[in-house]
Amino acid sequence: MTTGSRTSAHTRRPAGPTVRRVLGILGLLLAAIGYEAVTRAVFSPLHVPPLTAIAPRAAELLTEARFWTATGRTLLVAAVGLLIALVAGIVVGFAVGSVPWLLRAASSTLDFLRPVPSIVLIPVLVLVLDVAQITVLLVAVSCFWIVLFQVLYGLRDVDQVAVDTARTIRLGRLGRIVHVTWPSVLPYLGTALRLIVSVALALAITGGLVMGAAGLGELIWSSQESGEFTGMYALVLLTGGVGIALDMAARLAERRLLHWHVATRREVAAR
């Protein structure tokens, strides 16, 4: 009893949601104060403006139509590329992962192509496509590999006993996919969704920075070229805010999609 009491007394409970939020806000404030202090002490405010100059400029940008137009264009490119990647990744993943011999034959090729960054395709694609189409394709290719491999991981995790049981009760192939395979793959697709949202936004912005595609990347580049560094940093700050909002939306979509899954129920209960 004494040993058990000592063990329970020394066991630390995980921090509650309120404590985590307070710590997160505290960390954000410390980062802001540190950035302000370093920029004022080390850098010239002309090239690296302090946060007290960036924040008001960011607030001004929020009232300008050009910022929202650029944001809409960037999100549209990211959404189209993301949708293409989801559809193609799911279709190819099920086609390859459902046939063992095909998966074995294609695994080496997939492992070889997966690490190749999509941005290396730019010199080839620029000869046949316009800038907007290239950016969409870059997003789609990069996100495709994430979705494809998550689908393959999900198919590998399917319970073979459940598959055999479904066959025993004479459940057809489509029925086995809907009632056995798909529920096993969905959690992996939820993970893929959280990953590809940030990748899609980053590549959509890269298209503007590298090729001048209309959107936030092009707006950041033009601010830098015109010497409006405070506006450039303000755009970077707002772009980070867009990324955070997309990540929160992806997590919410994942929780709604997987509300039945035990891991999601545990996460909700912990909140």
Side-chain angles (χ1 to χ4, degrees):
M1 292 293 291
T2 305
T3 304
S5 300
R6 288 177 180 176
T7 303
S8 59
H10 288 285
T11 301
R12 292 184 178 182
R13 294 181 179 179
T18 304
V19 175
R20 289 196 298 269
R21 292 191 187 98
V22 170
L23 290 176
I25 294 173
L26 181 61
L28 189 63
L29 289 175
L30 289 175
I33 294 171
Y35 175 84
E36 182 78 14
V38 170
T39 52
R40 289 186 177 276
V42 178
F43 300 103
S44 166
L46 180 63
H47 298 100
V48 185
L51 189 61
T52 49
I54 296 173
R57 184 69 184 104
E60 291 177 9
L61 284 170
L62 289 174
T63 64
E64 297 180 10
R66 63 174 185 145
F67 169 75
W68 295 107
T69 301
T71 302
R73 288 172 175 169
T74 298
L75 292 179
L76 178 61
V77 168
V80 173
L82 191 149
L83 181 61
I84 294 172
L86 275 174
V87 174
I90 292 172
V91 171
V92 175
F94 269 90
V96 174
S98 300
V99 183
W101 67 265
L102 182 58
L103 178 60
R104 288 193 296 271
S107 59
S108 58
T109 303
L110 295 177
D111 290 333
F112 171 76
L113 293 175
R114 182 186 184 184
V116 178
S118 61
I119 199 168
V120 301
L121 300 173
I122 290 178
V124 178
L125 297 176
V126 76
L127 300 175
V128 293
L129 300 174
D130 62 37
V131 172
Q133 293 172 332
I134 293 173
T135 307
V136 170
L137 193 57
L138 292 179
V139 173
V141 170
S142 293
C143 295
F144 166 78
W145 294 112
I146 298 174
V147 176
L148 172 63
F149 277 88
Q150 288 297 321
V151 170
L152 294 178
Y153 296 152
L155 290 172
R156 189 184 304 169
D157 199 39
V158 173
D159 187 357
Q160 192 58 42
V161 175
V163 174
D164 294 338
T165 303
R167 285 174 177 161
T168 301
I169 62 176
R170 300 183 182 280
L171 198 62
R173 183 173 180 81
L174 180 60
R176 293 198 301 272
I177 292 176
V178 172
H179 298 289
V180 180
T181 307
W182 186 245
S184 297
V185 173
L186 265 181
Y188 291 87
L189 280 178
T191 301
L193 179 63
R194 283 193 284 113
L195 294 173
I196 63 178
V197 161
S198 58
V199 172
L201 178 63
L203 286 171
I205 293 172
T206 301
L209 290 171
V210 176
M211 299 177 293
L216 287 173
E218 188 271 336
L219 204 58
I220 293 172
W221 178 83
S222 62
S223 296
Q224 190 269 339
E225 283 292 302
S226 62
E228 217 274 283
F229 297 111
T230 302
M232 181 189 72
Y233 280 91
L235 285 167
V236 171
L237 180 65
L238 291 175
T239 301
V242 173
I244 292 173
L246 289 178
D247 181 71
M248 293 174 62
R251 290 178 183 274
L252 178 61
E254 182 186 20
R255 287 198 297 271
R256 295 290 177 85
L257 185 66
L258 300 175
H259 62 89
W260 50 269
H261 197 268
V262 60
T264 304
R265 292 202 297 267
R266 287 174 182 170
E267 182 182 348
V268 173
R271 292 173 178 270

